[in-house]
Amino acid sequence: MFSQNEQQFNRWMLVGLISGFILLIAGFALVAAGLRNSNESARLVRHTFEVKDAIGDLTVALERSEAARRGYLIEPDPYRRQVYEEWAPQIVPSLNRLEELVSDSPAQSESVRRLRPIVVKELAEIERSMDLATSGDFATARAEFSGSPGLSTLQLIRDRARRINAVEEGLLRERQDAARNQQNFVQLLLLLTGTLLAGVAAFTFWLVRKFTRELLDSQKRLHRLNTDLEGAVKERTADLQRANDEIQRFAYIVSHDLRSPLVNVMGFTSEMERADKIVADFVTVVEDKQPELVSDEVRFAAREDLPEAIGFIRSSTRKMDRLINAILDLSRQGRRVLTPEMLPMDRLIGDIAANLEVLAAERDARFIIEEPMPSLRHDRLAVEQIFSNLMENATKYLQSGRQGVIMVRGRREGSRAIFEVEDNGRGIAPEDHERIFELFRRSGQQDQQGEGIGLANVRALAYRLGGTITVRSVLSEGSTFVVDLPVEFSEEGKDQ
């Protein structure tokens, strides 16, 4: 058992360890959230660069197309025509991509929406000029180009593109600052979590090492105790065996010493019975011839007091004789050499039930034997005495008003066999569950013959076979006697 200080210390250690792991989990959760925020900030930065790239692609495509048109109108050159055909088709896709990228910003979306018609108009003028020039109508194409506000429109597009780009530049700075702050925060969280993890790991290592050391010390102490215990058990077993032998010899001697005066008492009681008969006959003769000589006191003493006293003496001596015989039986059982043999318990229990069939029929009872039962290798007489006593008691102590049912079952658990003798009889009061196994102790209504020896003998036999016997019982509902025996008897097993 731990002392109060050790228990309190262990509780605080457990609280500290749990708190450390909770903080560690919270730290990992914060790091995960920080990483998500950092990834989002990085995504926004990438998004800003994509918007800037889209603006650049639009303006470059538009300016290259305009330059190719202007040069082609001045001097038709296949290279300029090739440049136009390369860049003009990229203007609308670049505008569409830009519009899609700024859809998350209402202000930027509005700016791009206003830019679209200007770009579309400028693209239409470029395409018309190139179509006229391609068809050979350079004069009309050059005239329309000279009269169109191409440069001013292109400048307007540049200005609006720069304003959109400037807004993105501002967003870029904000998002880069946010990404750096978020990155610094995540790094700080990682540092704190790493420190906490190292602390929890160090504390856990110290705790495991402490308990491992205590466990090894406990194992060493337990080994020493077991070593000492084995010696103590052997010594105690030898002492118990010597004490048991002494008790057996004492019981045998006492029973013999008691029987000698008891025989004398029984003999003198017989003499007193004969004398009582003579006295009674004499009083009858005197009463017939000279009744005045026989007083009521003499008459009552001769015919009532003396026979009653002799009857009490006779009853007591008979009871004493039965007790002495029971003690002698116990003494003989303790000295008897046990001879183990294979016992098919199904057949043995069945034979006992058959022998009790007449008694069971008289008491309106029946036996139920659940098969199969585990076989034993034990002394036949001892096992028969155990189960005969239990089954006979179950047949005797039934509950009036209902048919008696005595059920016997058995099962094997490892190297042990567990048997149960269950009845629906009178039951036993809780305070008597152990007392009924004591010598000369009985429980409940004493309306059956017996000296209180049977269950004491059963428990002694069970102990001698290396087993135990216990009882579960409820008054007026029934009792279940549980016999736990080793499957195979051994001299070593009986001392365990």
Side-chain angles (χ1 to χ4, degrees), residues 107-316:
Q108 292 289 76
S109 294
E110 180 64 19
S111 298
V112 174
R113 188 184 65 79
R114 292 178 180 179
L115 178 64
R116 174 177 284 278
I118 302 173
V119 173
V120 171
K121 181 181 178 183
E122 178 66 17
L123 177 61
E125 291 180 357
I126 294 173
E127 289 177 344
R128 178 174 172 75
S129 297
M130 292 301 294
D131 289 343
L132 290 172
T134 301
S135 63
D137 192 359
F138 280 95
T140 304
R142 288 168 182 163
E144 288 183 358
F145 175 74
S146 298
S148 68
L151 293 177
S152 60
T153 301
L154 191 60
Q155 185 61 42
L156 177 61
I157 293 173
R158 289 194 191 104
D159 290 342
R160 294 198 175 188
R162 276 195 296 269
R163 284 198 293 270
I164 295 173
N165 192 65
V167 173
E168 291 298 324
E169 288 284 352
L171 291 174
L172 179 61
R173 287 190 296 271
E174 292 177 3
R175 290 169 177 175
Q176 285 178 333
D177 291 340
R180 281 192 295 271
N181 293 335
Q182 192 65 41
Q183 186 177 8
N184 293 334
F185 178 69
V186 170
Q187 289 176 350
L188 178 61
L189 284 178
L190 286 173
L191 178 62
L192 293 176
T193 304
T195 304
L196 181 61
L197 179 61
V200 172
F203 181 71
T204 305
F205 175 77
W206 173 80
L207 196 62
V208 170
R209 185 175 179 181
K210 176 180 181 297
F211 278 104
T212 302
R213 186 167 55 249
E214 291 180 354
L215 180 61
L216 291 175
D217 293 340
S218 299
Q219 288 178 340
K220 291 178 181 178
R221 289 195 299 270
L222 182 61
H223 179 71
R224 289 195 297 270
L225 289 174
N226 286 337
T227 303
D228 296 340
L229 182 60
E230 289 176 0
V233 167
K234 291 180 180 179
E235 183 179 353
R236 182 60 176 164
T237 301
D239 292 340
L240 288 175
Q241 188 62 45
R242 286 193 296 271
N244 184 61
D245 294 340
E246 289 294 330
I247 291 172
Q248 297 296 332
R249 285 193 294 271
F250 176 76
Y252 186 77
I253 292 171
V254 168
S255 60
H256 277 75
D257 289 346
L258 288 176
R259 181 168 294 281
S260 178
L262 180 63
V263 170
N264 292 333
V265 172
M266 294 174 70
F268 284 118
T269 302
S270 298
E271 294 294 330
M272 291 176 65
E273 286 176 339
R274 288 193 295 271
D276 175 56
K277 186 176 183 306
I278 294 172
V279 171
D281 292 342
F282 177 76
V283 170
T284 300
V285 171
V286 173
E287 190 175 25
D288 289 339
K289 294 181 178 181
Q290 294 180 311
E292 69 278 2
L293 296 178
V294 180
S295 65
D296 292 337
E297 183 178 0
V298 171
R299 187 181 301 107
F300 187 80
R303 294 177 178 173
E304 298 291 339
D305 287 346
L306 189 57
E308 183 180 11
I310 294 173
F312 281 133
I313 295 173
R314 175 65 70 184
S315 175
S316 298

Side-chain angles (χ1 to χ4, degrees), residues 342-391:
M342 286 306 301
L343 303 177
M345 293 302 293
D346 294 337
R347 187 186 307 169
L348 187 144
I349 297 296
D351 291 343
I352 295 174
N355 293 333
L356 295 172
E357 195 62 41
V358 175
L359 177 62
E362 293 176 355
R363 303 298 177 96
D364 189 23
R366 62 190 179 94
F367 290 99
I368 298 177
I369 301 173
E370 292 187 359
E371 298 181 355
M373 291 187 182
S375 297
L376 301 177
R377 186 177 180 276
H378 274 283
D379 182 81
R380 176 181 293 274
L381 182 58
V383 174
E384 286 179 345
Q385 286 182 330
I386 290 174
F387 288 98
S388 295
N389 190 289
L390 295 178
M391 294 169 67

